[in-house]
Amino acid sequence: MLLERALMLKNIRAFFHERNVIEVETPLLSHYSTTDLHLDSLQSRFRDQTCYLNTSPEYAMKRLLACWQKPIYQICKAFRDDELGPTHNPEFTMLEWYQPGYDMLQLMDELAALIEHLCHGSKLSPLDTSLLASPRFERLSYQQAFERFSGINPHQTTSGECYQVAKVNQVEIPQGLGLGEDEVNDWLDWLLTQLIFPAFKKDCFTFMYDYPATQCALAKVSENEQHILVAKRFELFFGEMELANGFHELTDGVEQLQRFQQENQRRELAGKQAGRIDENLIAALSHGLPDCSGVAVGLDRLLMALTGNVAIDRVLSFSWENA
């Protein structure tokens, strides 16, 4: 497994070298933390200062991109104060890259090309995992996934309709999830994990894209073919395991600051500590981030998919219990 991991890293670097994407390094330790409601930063201390291990290199890479305006990538460790389980480790390896001039669909194409490159470059026998011989990809919009597997349009649904879908499909309803208008996103997230993701093909990579505008995070918002505002973001799954998260990046510093502030409000309502907003990122966006798309890929999970492993500790040098 150590040799397979080494080969994967070598082949990733070869892939980007051929495409003139430049490898960079950014700090793992920062003065700033995430504001994402669903993520928590690990804290550390330097002298008398509280600091944070990065949940991804995104903010620092965007600062470089705003200054340099060239395609860049990074392979680094990332850290999250998250659950521990078959697909989660508090420390993990992340690949992240940004392509100026790319839209979301072009970056999805490039991610698929990278995975095909890694499959064909593996030293494992195709008999060990049929994935290596011919990786398959499917693309579904967020709306198409919900309509196919739950029968509702997620952009027009209500909490009550989501509740009925859960009941009909015998999905357990978590305590505290109500029927308020402001809880639709919570319902959609729950149905995703309990109903939509499990329905994805088990031996196939699935791209899901065009998320609800209310889940835009750091992505641009624009109209889809049905003239509905959607977030220009995508995720990649193998079976129901999430591998990657990508955006057609928001370049407006004022709007990004407002989004961070709104995320902090949601964190506080959920009983969490507000994140420290990265002022340097906001300054970089205001200076001028080129129109671009970026994606983060969990390399440990990707290695799980490539080698047919179902537990993350099988592809790590040392799991958390042995770190």
Side-chain angles (χ1 to χ4, degrees), residues 149-152 157 160-171 191 195:
F149 302 122
S150 74
I152 62 174
T157 193
E161 187 177 32
C162 290
Y163 171 76
Q164 291 301 324
V165 168
K167 284 190 65 177
V168 168
N169 289 277
Q170 299 181 322
V171 171
L191 291 177
L195 191 61

Side-chain angles (χ1 to χ4, degrees), residues 35 256-266 277:
T35 60
Q256 187 62 74
L257 177 59
Q258 291 174 346
R259 291 186 189 181
F260 283 155
Q261 292 168 339
Q262 291 167 357
E263 286 180 336
N264 268 339
Q265 291 172 1
R266 289 193 286 270
I277 294 174

Side-chain angles (χ1 to χ4, degrees), residues 24-83:
V24 297
E25 289 185 326
T26 58
L28 299 181
L29 198 62
S30 172
H31 297 285
Y32 305 101
S33 60
T34 183
T35 60
D36 190 318
L37 174 62
H38 304 292
L39 298 179
D40 290 300
S41 301
L42 284 169
Q43 288 191 22
S44 185
R45 292 197 67 81
F46 174 68
R47 297 181 177 173
D48 61 343
Q49 300 179 65
T50 298
C51 44
Y52 305 89
L53 291 167
N54 72 339
T55 56
S56 91
E58 177 172 7
Y59 298 169
M61 290 184 74
K62 285 182 176 176
R63 289 168 59 190
L64 287 181
L65 192 60
C67 177
W68 206 15
Q69 311 275 313
K70 293 186 181 296
I72 55 175
Y73 81 97
Q74 181 169 191
I75 299 171
C76 69
K77 292 294 186 180
F79 306 84
R80 295 179 183 178
D81 192 359
D82 201 350
E83 63 181 289

Side-chain angles (χ1 to χ4, degrees), residues 89 97 136 144 156 164 171 178 205 236 257 266 275 302 304-305:
N89 200 64
W97 81 92
R136 297 187 299 115
Q144 288 170 335
Q156 299 173 344
Q164 291 301 324
V171 171
F205 292 98
L236 177 67
L257 177 59
R266 289 193 286 270
L302 179 56
M304 287 171 60

Side-chain angles (χ1 to χ4, degrees), residues 283-301:
L285 294 179
S286 300
H287 172 75
L289 187 71
D291 184 59
C292 65
S293 289
V295 63
V297 183
L299 290 184
D300 305 308
R301 290 185 181 181

Side-chain angles (χ1 to χ4, degrees), residues 19-280:
R19 291 169 178 252
N20 296 314
V21 183
I22 302 160
E23 184 171 11
V24 297
E25 289 185 326
T26 58
L28 299 181
L29 198 62
S30 172
H31 297 285
Y32 305 101
S33 60
T34 183
T35 60
D36 190 318
L37 174 62
H38 304 292
L39 298 179
D40 290 300
S41 301
L42 284 169
Q43 288 191 22
S44 185
R45 292 197 67 81
F46 174 68
R47 297 181 177 173
D48 61 343
Q49 300 179 65
T50 298
C51 44
Y52 305 89
L53 291 167
N54 72 339
T55 56
S56 91
E58 177 172 7
Y59 298 169
M61 290 184 74
K62 285 182 176 176
R63 289 168 59 190
L64 287 181
L65 192 60
C67 177
W68 206 15
Q69 311 275 313
K70 293 186 181 296
I72 55 175
Y73 81 97
Q74 181 169 191
I75 299 171
C76 69
K77 292 294 186 180
F79 306 84
R80 295 179 183 178
D81 192 359
D82 201 350
E83 63 181 289
L84 190 65
T87 61
H88 290 86
N89 200 64
E91 176 184 344
F92 58 99
T93 304
M94 179 176 284
L95 163 67
E96 189 150 335
W97 81 92
Y98 293 87
Q99 280 283 14
Y102 275 38
D103 62 20
M104 177 184 69
L105 298 178
Q106 288 172 300
L107 195 62
M108 289 163 62
D109 289 340
E110 188 163 65
L111 176 52
L114 171 63
I115 290 174
E116 290 177 340
H117 176 79
L118 296 178
C119 287
H120 298 152
S122 172
K123 292 296 186 183
L124 291 176
S125 166
L127 296 176
D128 295 332
T129 167
S130 61
L131 173 69
L132 299 178
S134 182
R136 297 187 299 115
F137 296 87
E138 183 169 6
R139 296 190 181 191
L140 293 170
S141 71
Y142 191 97
Q143 180 175 338
Q144 288 170 335
F146 266 89
E147 289 178 340
R148 178 181 298 183
F149 302 122
S150 74
I152 62 174
N153 182 338
H155 303 300
Q156 299 173 344
T157 193
T158 64
S159 294
E161 187 177 32
C162 290
Y163 171 76
Q164 291 301 324
V165 168
K167 284 190 65 177
V168 168
N169 289 277
Q170 299 181 322
V171 171
E172 180 183 356
I173 299 171
Q175 189 174 5
L177 187 55
L179 301 180
E181 292 183 10
D182 59 344
E183 295 179 275
V184 173
N185 276 324
D186 295 330
W187 274 106
L188 293 176
D189 286 343
W190 183 246
L191 291 177
L192 274 176
T193 60
Q194 302 300 308
L195 191 61
I196 307 302
F197 295 159
F200 287 171
K201 295 175 183 177
K202 305 304 180 189
D203 58 350
C204 178
F205 292 98
T206 302
F207 282 101
M208 190 168 68
Y209 61 95
D210 280 357
Y211 278 60
T214 51
Q215 300 179 27
C216 53
L218 288 89
K220 291 189 174 194
V221 173
S222 63
E223 288 188 351
N224 65 8
E225 294 176 352
Q226 291 78 38
H227 305 292
I228 297 171
L229 285 176
V230 295
K232 305 310 289 184
R233 57 175 292 200
F234 70 87
E235 290 184 299
L236 177 67
F237 300 84
F238 182 71
E240 59 185 287
M241 179 170 63
E242 180 191 347
L243 301 179
N245 189 17
F247 303 129
H248 191 168
E249 304 291 347
L250 179 67
T251 58
D252 186 324
V254 173
E255 183 176 348
Q256 187 62 74
L257 177 59
Q258 291 174 346
R259 291 186 189 181
F260 283 155
Q261 292 168 339
Q262 291 167 357
E263 286 180 336
N264 268 339
Q265 291 172 1
R266 289 193 286 270
R267 288 182 68 88
E268 291 174 338
L269 287 172
K272 291 187 172 186
Q273 182 179 0
R276 291 194 63 187
I277 294 174
D278 191 333
E279 299 170 355
N280 293 322

